[in-house]
Amino acid sequence: MTQYTNLSKIPLSVAVFLATDYYDYIPGTFSATGLLKPIRQSILAERLSPEQRVVDIAKLASSRMGTAYHDGIEKAWKTNHVKAMQRLGYSDELIARIRINPEPGTLRPNEIPVYMEQRIFRDFHGYKLSGKPDFIGAGRLEDFKSTSVYSYLNGRNDWKYRMQGSIYRWLDPQLITKDVIAIQFLFTDWQRGMAKADPKYPQQRTLHKVFPLFSLEETEAFIKQQLSQYRQYREAPEHVLPPCSDDELWRRPTVWKYFKNPTAKRATKNFENLAQARAYKAKEGGGTGEIREFPGEVQACHYCPAYELCTQKDRLLATGELKLD
């Protein structure tokens, strides 16, 4: 069981909220989200001692805000969807057709099923796999994400969104019949001024985007690969475990900086690639100017439960690619 600290002395009214986890962990199962984690993280997290399973609640704010977003939508649908839809102008006939979490075999013709937070299971190659989709409306899968605008714009998690939804459908293709997933974004750092100034910036705080799901065959091949890696490395020494990839590390793009004066602390200009930096240096006449490569910083390690046991993060700290909190 995870233990919590409150090093920032957050008041008890909020601390209780941050220290509460409603996630229904089920021992002996692989969750859809668990299958998407780096194999290094999954295995090392299992090796943590009770003393190492300690998290400061200040680091849980984003996660708990995301949970509150999910819980609020679920509560609204379960307790108030009739009044809400009436206020939105939907007909009483349509509203009457909606059934929330109907029991199997009870759905009548023309009724529209809406499933929320219903855990589904499937046995596969000696393992029990599970998933808990946020929302399934008339066979179409939706997932609610509270995230930064930057994460949305760079598409860092697009593949994960698709594969997570694909695993849910693979778990129960009779429940999830559509071949797309709609991600409902709630931006945690949205700014109205940025939306007015940049047409590429999200134009509202909430936004949805539809992604195609992978085929059932592609999804099953991915699941087989993850389970095979888990079996292969479960007992392996830490230094043998596959390193996390740049995508898994949430690595920011590498930057090339041109210093007109090599002794200066601040760069004259930054570039996205080496060719641009060299062209600028030539335009400036070359001389004693210097180009330096700055590998993109990684972010995911700060949120990894296996941080204490991982030597990859030690190497990243040593090179400056990972900064201490």
Side-chain angles (χ1 to χ4, degrees):
M1 179 183 295
T2 300
Q3 296 297 313
Y4 297 118
T5 57
N6 186 6
L7 301 179
S8 303
K9 299 190 183 304
I10 295 171
L12 186 61
S13 56
V14 178
V16 168
F17 165 68
L18 295 176
T20 299
D21 184 1
Y22 291 110
Y23 187 79
D24 54 340
Y25 298 97
I26 303 177
T29 66
F30 275 94
S31 68
T33 52
L35 286 167
L36 295 171
K37 292 178 181 178
I39 196 67
R40 163 176 283 269
Q41 180 187 115
S42 296
I43 290 174
L44 289 182
E46 293 181 350
R47 300 177 182 177
L48 292 170
S49 66
E51 294 75 19
Q52 292 169 322
R53 297 179 185 274
V54 179
V55 178
D56 189 70
I57 58 172
K59 293 184 176 182
L60 299 173
S62 294
S63 173
R64 298 299 190 248
M65 287 171 63
T67 300
Y69 176 41
H70 286 72
D71 291 348
I73 294 175
E74 182 182 7
K75 181 179 179 181
W77 270 93
K78 288 183 175 180
T79 66
N80 194 53
H81 81 277
V82 172
K83 289 184 179 179
M85 292 183 68
Q86 288 172 340
R87 290 171 179 170
L88 289 166
Y90 289 93
S91 68
D92 290 338
E93 185 274 333
L94 175 63
I95 296 171
R97 291 168 56 197
I98 293 177
R99 291 275 308 280
I100 309 296
N101 294 335
E103 293 293 329
T106 66
L107 201 66
R108 294 187 293 270
N110 295 324
E111 288 188 325
I112 302 171
V114 171
Y115 298 95
M116 303 196 68
E117 303 292 342
Q118 299 293 291
R119 186 165 289 282
I120 48 183
F121 296 92
R122 180 171 172 179
D123 293 321
F124 186 69
H125 285 219
Y127 294 95
K128 183 177 286 293
L129 309 182
S130 75
K132 197 174 185 181
D134 290 347
F135 188 99
I136 306 168
R140 190 181 84 152
L141 180 63
E142 299 189 26
D143 204 84
F144 310 126
K145 303 290 185 185
S146 60
T147 186
S148 68
V149 171
Y150 174 81
S151 179
Y152 167 80
L153 290 175
N154 72 10
R156 182 180 67 196
N157 291 315
D158 288 0
W159 182 89
K160 282 187 177 181
Y161 298 153
R162 294 181 63 196
M163 184 53 76
Q164 182 179 355
S166 299
I167 294 172
Y168 288 151
R169 181 176 63 160
W170 177 88
L171 286 168
D172 193 342
Q174 302 302 314
L175 193 65
I176 301 169
T177 56
K178 303 295 192 297
D179 61 359
V180 297
I181 179 172
I183 303 297
Q184 309 293 351
F185 292 98
L186 174 68
F187 299 116
T188 56
D189 56 354
W190 185 80
Q191 300 178 51
R192 187 180 301 276
M194 290 292 293
K196 291 181 178 180
D198 184 357
K200 294 183 179 180
Y201 192 88
Q203 295 301 293
Q204 56 193 46
R205 184 176 290 276
T206 61
L207 197 67
H208 90 281
K209 188 173 182 180
V210 178
F211 297 90
L213 298 178
F214 294 106
S215 70
L216 293 173
E217 293 76 18
E218 290 174 302
T219 305
E220 185 165 304
F222 170 77
I223 295 171
K224 283 182 179 178
Q225 173 188 311
Q226 293 301 94
L227 294 177
S228 175
Q229 275 203 317
Y230 179 79
R231 284 193 297 267
Q232 179 182 352
Y233 291 106
R234 185 178 184 184
E235 304 299 331
E238 185 274 340
H239 69 274
V240 175
L241 297 178
C244 293
S245 67
D246 284 349
D247 283 343
E248 292 168 336
L249 290 169
W250 304 350
R251 185 185 291 277
R252 294 184 180 274
T254 295
V255 176
W256 283 264
K257 297 186 177 184
Y258 174 69
F259 293 80
K260 186 174 183 179
N261 179 0
T263 62
K265 292 184 178 180
R266 294 187 62 181
T268 307
K269 196 173 180 64
N270 298 343
F271 300 91
E272 295 179 354
N273 59 63
L274 181 58
Q276 291 176 345
R278 286 175 172 170
Y280 184 85
K281 180 180 179 182
K283 181 181 177 181
E284 291 292 295
T288 59
E290 185 177 283
I291 298 171
R292 301 176 197 165
E293 179 181 351
F294 289 79
E297 290 185 18
V298 303
Q299 304 293 319
C301 298
H302 294 299
Y303 307 96
C304 179
Y307 184 93
E308 295 297 330
L309 300 182
C310 183
T311 58
Q312 183 182 14
K313 73 95 174 36
D314 295 331
R315 294 191 294 272
L316 293 169
L317 284 170
T319 61
E321 295 165 87
L322 173 63
K323 305 294 185 183
L324 290 172
D325 286 345

